[in-house]
C-alpha cells in the first residue's frame, strides 16, 4: 500500500500547483510546497512559495478506495483514503467539526444525512436496565417490574398493572385427560 491523501484547494491555488508540477522547479517563482499542522493535528498551514493558506484535516463520510493501472486493463488497489486536507483562502470560514459532511463527488453531497442511518438517541439508564434484564433472563431468572395488561376481575376492560413475571418453577402445567401433566422435551432436562 502507498501513502495517499486528498488535497482540496481553491481554484487559484490549484493553478499555481499545476504550473509548479508542469514546469522546472528552478524556473518557477512558486518553488516549494509545504504543509504543517498544529499540536491538535487538525488545523494547519499550507505554504506555496512565500504565501500561506489555512488548512484543516477533515474526515470523509465514507472511505474512498484508490486504484492505479499500468496497462489500462487491470486495476490495482493502492490505498484506502478516509481523510482530506482542505485548503481555503485567508478570508473563508473554517468548517465546523472534524467531519466533512459531503463526499468527493456530486452524488455524495450531504452524504451523512441522505445515505446513512442516523444513530438512535438512547437513554443510558434504559440501556443499562434492558442489559440487566437480558442477563437475568439468560441466567434463568425473571424480568423485574414488567408492565403486563391484565383483565380486571369484573371483565370491564384492561388496565396496565405492574405484575411480577412468573418464576420458572411456578409455571402452570396443563393437565390432560389421563391425569399426567403435559411436558415438553426441555422439561426433561430439568429433572
Amino acid at each position: 500500500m502507498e501513502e495517499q491523501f486528498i488535497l482540496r484547494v481553491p481554484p487559484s491555488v490549484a493553478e499555481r500547483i499545476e504550473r509548479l508540477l508542469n514546469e522546472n522547479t528552478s524556473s518557477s517563482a512558486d518553488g516549494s510546497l509545504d504543509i504543517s499542522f498544529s499540536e491538535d493535528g487538525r488545523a494547519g498551514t499550507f505554504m506555496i512559495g512565500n504565501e500561506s493558506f489555512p488548512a484543516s484535516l477533515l474526515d470523509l463520510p465514507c472511505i474512498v478506495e484508490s486504484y492505479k493501472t499500468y496497462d489500462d486493463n487491470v486495476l490495482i488497489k493502492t490505498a484506502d483514503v478516509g481523510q482530506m486536507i482542505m485548503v481555503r483562502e485567508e478570508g473563508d470560514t473554517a468548517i465546523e467539526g472534524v467531519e466533512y459532511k459531503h463526499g468527493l463527488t456530486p452524488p455524495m453531497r450531504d452524504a451523512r444525512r441522505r445515505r446513512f442511518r442516523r444513530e438512535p438517541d438512547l437513554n443510558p439508564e434504559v440501556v443499562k436496565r434492558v442489559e440487566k434484564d437480558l442477563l437475568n433472563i439468560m441466567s434463568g431468572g425473571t424480568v423485574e417490574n414488567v408492565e403486563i395488561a391484565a383483565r380486571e376481575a369484573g371483565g370491564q376492560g384492561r388496565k396496565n398493572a405492574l405484575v411480577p413475571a412468573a418464576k420458572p418453577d411456578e409455571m402452570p402445567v396443563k393437565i390432560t385427560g389421563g391425569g399426567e401433566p403435559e411436558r415438553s422435551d426441555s422439561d426433561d432436562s430439568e429433572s
Side-chain angles (χ1 to χ4, degrees):
M1 291 278 198
E2 298 177 356
E3 289 187 25
Q4 299 179 1
F5 62 91
I6 295 171
L7 180 66
R8 182 168 274 185
V9 295
S12 62
V13 177
E15 291 172 7
R16 292 173 66 182
I17 292 174
E18 187 176 5
R19 238 182 303 132
L20 180 67
L21 294 174
N22 290 336
E23 296 174 0
N24 289 338
T25 56
S26 60
S27 66
S28 177
D30 301 328
S32 65
L33 293 175
D34 187 33
I35 299 176
S36 59
F37 286 96
S38 63
E39 300 257 341
D40 67 352
R42 291 286 180 171
T45 305
F46 177 77
M47 300 276 298
I48 181 166
N50 294 330
E51 197 171 347
S52 65
F53 298 93
S56 48
L57 180 67
L58 302 171
D59 296 335
L60 292 171
C62 58
I63 294 174
V64 177
E65 294 180 344
S66 172
Y67 294 89
K68 71 178 175 182
T69 182
Y70 294 108
D71 59 359
D72 292 333
N73 289 326
V74 179
L75 294 175
I76 301 167
K77 182 177 175 181
T78 56
D80 286 329
V81 181
Q83 293 180 321
M84 168 180 66
I85 299 172
M86 175 160 299
V87 177
R88 56 190 188 281
E89 295 285 347
E90 195 64 45
D92 293 348
T93 58
I95 294 178
E96 294 181 20
V98 297
E99 186 174 285
Y100 189 61
K101 70 178 186 175
H102 307 298
L104 298 176
T105 59
M108 291 297 287
R109 179 144 185 88
D110 205 8
R112 269 287 169 215
R113 185 182 58 79
R114 291 178 37 203
R115 303 239 186 252
F116 301 108
R117 189 175 2 167
R118 70 178 197 93
E119 294 180 13
D121 298 329
L122 297 176
N123 184 351
E125 295 172 6
V126 174
V127 172
K128 285 180 183 177
R129 190 186 80 217
V130 169
E131 182 180 8
K132 179 182 154 201
D133 289 344
L134 286 173
L135 290 172
N136 200 9
I137 290 170
M138 290 171 54
S139 66
T142 59
V143 178
E144 298 174 7
N145 297 331
V146 176
E147 286 189 31
I148 299 177
R151 287 201 162 266
E152 291 183 9
Q156 297 174 353
R158 295 183 169 183
K159 83 172 190 182
N160 289 335
L162 290 176
V163 179
K167 297 191 177 185
D169 299 340
E170 302 171 3
M171 295 289 284
V173 178
K174 182 179 174 185
I175 299 180
T176 57
E180 287 284 323
E182 195 176 286
R183 304 188 83 128
S184 67
D185 293 337
S186 62
D187 292 338
D188 294 337
S189 62
E190 293 177 7
S191 301

